[in-house]
Amino acid sequence: MHEPFTIDRCTTSSLPVTTRAALLELCDAAYQEAIEPYLDALGPGEHLLGMRAGVLVSHLMWVTRWLQPAGMPPLRTAYVELVATAPAAQGRGYATQLLKAFPPLVRDHAVAALSPATDGLYARLGWRYWRGPLAVRHQGGLVATPEEQIMILPLPTTPELDDTRMLSVEWRRGEVW
């Protein structure tokens, strides 16, 4: 008999030490690099923990960021980070289940966004690429980031967006997008 897949939600500050260690181990293996410095740089956020038989097999995190389409005020954005599944558990739909559970949890945001490593998973779940130029707001100006690609997921509260216009985000240490 298969153990059910369950999803737990918690904040970064409430992650038990053992869960944080399991999260780092999972992400290190999935991304094939040490993720702890990146996780620390992200600051506080929310996590969805995909559990199977009491073991963490998949993870999704989001932080609040402020994306600003040209000509519009900044939008409170649920910015998705560290979507990962343990290598031995990949291909079983765990990340898909987390991504499907995510939108109802961020109804207080205007839009969701992420910087994809691959697009297949996200595109089939309704995420779409921002087609216009991207920039970061830094030191009172805009710095173009032409090497970046961003996907957005409209939410029930998303205003009408022209995705051919410039989209900017506030600067942050580490990975800007």
Side-chain angles (χ1 to χ4, degrees), residues 2 5 8 10 13 22 25 33 47 60 109 130 137 144 149:
H2 286 336
F5 179 75
D8 296 333
C10 65
S13 62
E25 182 179 338
E33 64 180 279
H47 301 262
L60 177 152
H109 290 74
W130 189 266
R137 300 184 301 275
Q149 289 190 318

Side-chain angles (χ1 to χ4, degrees), residues 133-155:
L134 301 172
V136 60
R137 300 184 301 275
H138 186 54
Q139 297 180 346
L142 292 175
V143 177
T145 57
E147 69 285 355
E148 300 290 342
Q149 289 190 318
I150 298 302
M151 294 182 90
I152 64 163
L153 178 69
L155 300 171

Side-chain angles (χ1 to χ4, degrees), residues 1 24 26 28 31 34 48 75 77-78 81-82 88 106 108 113-114 120 129 133 162 164 168 176:
M1 179 173 176
L24 290 170
L26 180 150
D28 288 357
Y31 287 100
L48 293 182
L75 302 175
T77 304
E81 302 278 3
L82 297 175
V106 294
D108 59 340
L114 55 76
Y129 279 101
D162 178 352
T164 64
S168 66
V176 174

Side-chain angles (χ1 to χ4, degrees), residues 23-93:
L23 182 161
L24 290 170
E25 182 179 338
L26 180 150
C27 289
D28 288 357
Y31 287 100
Q32 298 181 349
E33 64 180 279
I35 295 298
E36 187 169 25
Y38 183 68
L39 178 64
D40 291 343
L42 290 174
E46 299 270 340
H47 301 262
L48 293 182
L49 307 171
M51 309 294 289
R52 184 86 191 246
V55 175
L56 180 65
V57 295
S58 196
H59 173 265
L60 177 152
M61 177 185 185
W62 72 92
V63 296
T64 297
R65 304 217 43 210
W66 297 92
L67 271 58
Q68 185 172 17
M72 296 180 72
L75 302 175
R76 186 169 194 252
T77 304
Y79 199 85
V80 174
E81 302 278 3
L82 297 175
V83 177
T85 299
Q90 291 177 359
R92 297 182 190 162

Side-chain angles (χ1 to χ4, degrees), residues 12-25:
T12 301
S13 62
S14 69
L15 277 172
V17 172
T18 55
T19 304
R20 179 182 164 89
L23 182 161
L24 290 170
E25 182 179 338

